[in-house]
Amino acid sequence: MFKLTSLNLNGIRSAATKGMPEWVAQTQPDCICMQELKAQAADVAGRFEDIAGLKGHFHFAEKKGYSGVAIYTRHEPSDVITGYGSTEFDAEGRYVELRFDRPGRKQAPKLSIISCYFPSGSSGEERQAAKFRFLAEFYPYLAKLKETRDFVLCGDINIAHQEIDLKNFKGNKKNSGFLPEERAWMSELLRDAEAAEDALEELTEGTGQPAVKATRGGGMVDVYRKLQPTATDEAYTWWSNRGQAYAKNVGWRLDYHLATPAVAALAQSETIYKTQRFSDHAPITVDYALTL
């Protein structure tokens, strides 16, 4: 069994003071994908190269205290890729991929684990425009990657795909993270071309906004929704720090495992851990019937 966790830290140093390393040691994942480190190499050196016996691999943002992703693993990867080739977004430290290629492995002989932090558009129009640019260039990248290998992308996607993925869906239809164009992008990624195009037209009808176009349905699988197709309140992974959002469970599902079909078929069980808070996000763990 392969145990894979994803967690947006909202700062690795902050999360460490709240018991995150001890929790990793207790739960013992094979890999944990982390986003929003808010740290640079100098901050990690001598302190966070390893966590609970797992070796870290990082993609740092050029801007201090901003973004950054990591994957901690107990297995040695065959290759490490930082960045996905974006002129604009690789400088923001949003993508690290570990490859665990083994020709003799029966299931997914070419396998990647990816930690990715999608941009947020909540701070204003400029960042929302950047988010749309990211989505437009990241879709064909994933489609091309899927042609050559299986993978699981773990990360803070900053999109709630369906109405059951957030508490106040009626009041958030014009807000970043639940915009029709963002939801349509997810539909395209998760469905075949015909179904995705229908969803695109339905979700963007009457909005006056350009859709984030893609060439064809991505055929990816939302692993949590595969295992829990109707879950609502228990599905949330992020809560605003405003008001009593966490206490009242006024949340959003923003953190995902997005997998190619062959890997998604191996998913056995999922857990969203809410007993202890290390961040404004909760860690999501999936067990896969897979041996690296």
Side-chain angles (χ1 to χ4, degrees):
M1 198 67 70
F2 176 65
K3 188 174 188 177
L4 177 61
T5 297
S6 185
L7 171 62
N8 178 308
L9 298 169
N10 196 16
I12 192 169
R13 288 165 288 189
S14 172
T17 67
K18 299 172 183 175
M20 179 271 293
E22 292 79 8
W23 178 79
V24 175
Q26 179 183 355
T27 57
Q28 296 188 328
D30 290 284
C31 279
I32 180 166
C33 298
M34 297 180 175
Q35 305 86 41
E36 206 171 1
L37 302 180
K38 293 185 176 180
Q40 273 61 45
D43 304 311
V44 167
R47 188 176 179 188
F48 296 119
E49 291 106 324
D50 302 89
I51 293 179
L54 307 181
K55 181 181 179 181
H57 302 270
F58 307 91
H59 186 206
F60 300 109
E62 293 178 2
K63 181 181 177 181
K64 289 187 176 181
Y66 180 74
S67 191
V69 293
I71 302 177
Y72 287 87
T73 175
R74 65 179 71 258
H75 304 278
E76 188 66 26
S78 54
D79 200 5
V80 179
I81 294 96
T82 55
Y84 65 96
S86 170
T87 303
E88 179 176 6
F89 295 104
D90 281 356
E92 296 185 356
R94 296 191 177 276
Y95 182 97
V96 61
E97 173 187 347
L98 301 189
R99 295 186 170 179
F100 298 93
D101 292 357
R102 198 169 70 192
R105 186 169 54 219
K106 181 179 179 181
Q107 296 163 318
K110 290 185 176 181
L111 176 67
S112 291
I113 306 299
I114 299 166
S115 181
C116 189
Y117 178 40
F118 284 39
S120 170
S122 60
S123 63
E125 292 183 5
E126 183 178 342
R127 286 309 296 171
Q128 185 62 47
K131 184 177 184 179
F132 282 142
R133 291 195 299 273
F134 174 89
L135 295 177
E137 70 178 30
F138 197 53
Y139 183 102
Y141 174 83
L142 291 179
K144 186 176 181 181
L145 188 68
K146 183 173 174 285
E147 291 176 356
T148 60
R149 60 178 44 249
D150 287 296
F151 61 88
V152 182
L153 185 152
C154 291
D156 177 2
I157 307 304
N158 269 313
I159 299 171
H161 182 214
Q162 303 174 74
E163 292 181 352
I164 59 173
D165 291 326
L166 72 166
K167 188 71 170 183
N168 293 329
F169 65 87
K170 290 182 179 179
N172 280 292
K173 291 184 177 180
K174 294 184 179 180
N175 291 334
S176 181
F178 198 58
L179 294 175
E181 305 92 324
E182 298 169 333
R183 297 172 61 204
W185 185 91
M186 285 291 293
S187 292
E188 289 200 17
L189 186 70
L190 297 173
R191 299 179 187 178
D192 62 42
E194 184 177 353
E197 189 63 27
D198 290 344
L200 182 72
E201 292 177 3
E202 179 183 350
L203 288 169
T204 58
E205 184 178 0
T207 65
Q209 298 294 323
V212 180
K213 285 288 186 181
T215 57
R216 60 187 183 275
M220 297 292 294
V221 178
D222 179 346
V223 176
Y224 180 85
R225 279 292 168 225
K226 175 183 178 293
L227 297 170
Q228 295 289 347
T230 61
T232 54
D233 292 7
E234 61 269 35
Y236 306 148
T237 63
W238 176 81
W239 301 263
S240 170
N241 288 320
R242 298 175 182 175
Q244 297 292 316
Y246 186 77
K248 297 177 181 178
N249 198 26
V250 181
W252 296 52
R253 188 173 74 99
L254 299 180
D255 302 85
Y256 291 73
H257 286 225
L258 300 174
T260 53
V263 179
L266 304 175
Q268 302 293 301
S269 61
E270 87 300 323
T271 305
I272 297 174
Y273 180 76
K274 302 177 185 179
T275 304
Q276 188 177 358
R277 296 195 75 191
F278 316 115
S279 166
D280 52 351
H281 291 253
I284 175 171
T285 300
V286 177
D287 289 318
Y288 297 87
L290 177 69
T291 301
L292 291 188

